[in-house]
Structure formats: C-alpha cells, structure tokens
Amino acid sequence: MVAPKKQARSQYREDTNTQTLRMDDFNDDINDDPFTQRLMSFEQGGSDFQPVVVSRSVLESMDRSHVIVKRWPQPLKYQYFKSLMPDVSITKCDSCQQLYHTDDYELLVLQKNYCPFCRKQTADH
C-alpha cells in the first residue's frame, strides 16, 4: 500500500488593510481509513472503544510493515493489529504474543535474558 500524497491548498485573501495567505495540508485518503476515523471519533469524546473490523481484502491491501499478527493456537483465531504510528518500532514475543515497544523489550531482555511477561528465555524466541 502506497502512502497517500499530501496536497497543499492555498487561499489568498486581500482586504483593505490586510493581506493573508493560508496554506492547508490535506489528505483525501484519510477519510477512507477506518482506523483513523475511529481514532479521531474516540479522541473527540467518543464513549467506548470499539475495535475496527475489516474484510480480508482490506487487510490484504494494507502495508505489511504496519500490521502485527498475533498467531494463537487452535481453536483461537488470529488477531490483527495496525500500527497507527509506524515510526514507533514494535516487537512481539513469539511465545506469549505480548506487544512491546522495541527499545523497552530489548532493554528488559538484556537485563533479564527473558520475556518480561511470560519469562521465556530469549534463546528460545
């Protein structure tokens, strides 16, 4: 999935005493993203958090580097998470499926030599 391009829109206005130039960045595709829409409605005073449910085709169209998959054993179903901040690196423990900021996880593993949640040795990860 290619990142949407930002387009700049400018508006020039001249009154008798002032001149103004307004530059707006906008993104037409941001309204098509159900994740961003749900986050914006929640941040603007939405009541309860509701997960975003998408179809297989939407999931397949997403950038793989932004999707994290928790692979649970049968009969449980896989869970898919989208990183809304792709510049923040996330690490998943393959044993317990917990998600961590990569820097925090690496520091804890260096200190303890195991996952901070399930305590599985790092050599087995």
Side-chain angles (χ1 to χ4, degrees):
M1 185 163 147
V2 177
K5 293 180 181 177
K6 284 189 175 181
Q7 299 175 346
R9 181 181 359 181
S10 63
Q11 181 180 17
Y12 178 75
R13 186 185 312 166
E14 187 173 335
D15 293 333
T16 55
N17 295 330
T18 61
Q19 294 179 347
T20 59
L21 177 63
R22 180 176 171 178
M23 302 289 287
D24 290 327
D25 287 336
F26 68 95
N27 190 335
D28 290 334
D29 293 337
I30 202 161
N31 294 329
D32 296 336
D33 183 12
F35 299 96
T36 305
Q37 285 178 350
R38 185 69 52 90
L39 179 64
M40 296 302 284
S41 69
F42 185 72
E43 287 180 347
Q44 294 174 358
S47 58
D48 293 330
F49 172 77
Q50 293 292 323
V52 177
V53 179
V54 296
S55 66
R56 179 183 292 260
S57 61
V58 171
L59 188 61
E60 289 173 345
S61 70
M62 291 181 187
D63 184 351
R64 289 179 184 237
S65 65
H66 298 170
V67 177
I68 301 161
V69 182
K70 287 189 173 184
R71 293 179 172 88
W72 298 105
Q74 291 290 336
L76 300 175
K77 296 182 178 182
Y78 287 5
Q79 288 179 302
Y80 300 89
F81 297 87
K82 179 182 179 189
S83 174
L84 295 178
M85 298 186 306
D87 55 329
V88 176
S89 180
I90 298 173
T91 299
K92 177 182 61 111
C93 173
D94 292 329
S95 176
C96 65
Q97 306 295 313
Q98 289 294 317
L99 302 176
Y100 302 95
H101 288 113
T102 299
D103 293 340
D104 296 339
Y105 182 77
E106 288 176 353
L107 178 64
L108 290 167
V109 166
L110 285 172
Q111 290 174 346
K112 306 286 186 179
N113 201 31
Y114 54 76
C115 170
F117 186 77
C118 69
R119 298 184 184 237
K120 183 144 185 176
Q121 294 294 316
T122 57
D124 296 339
H125 281 263

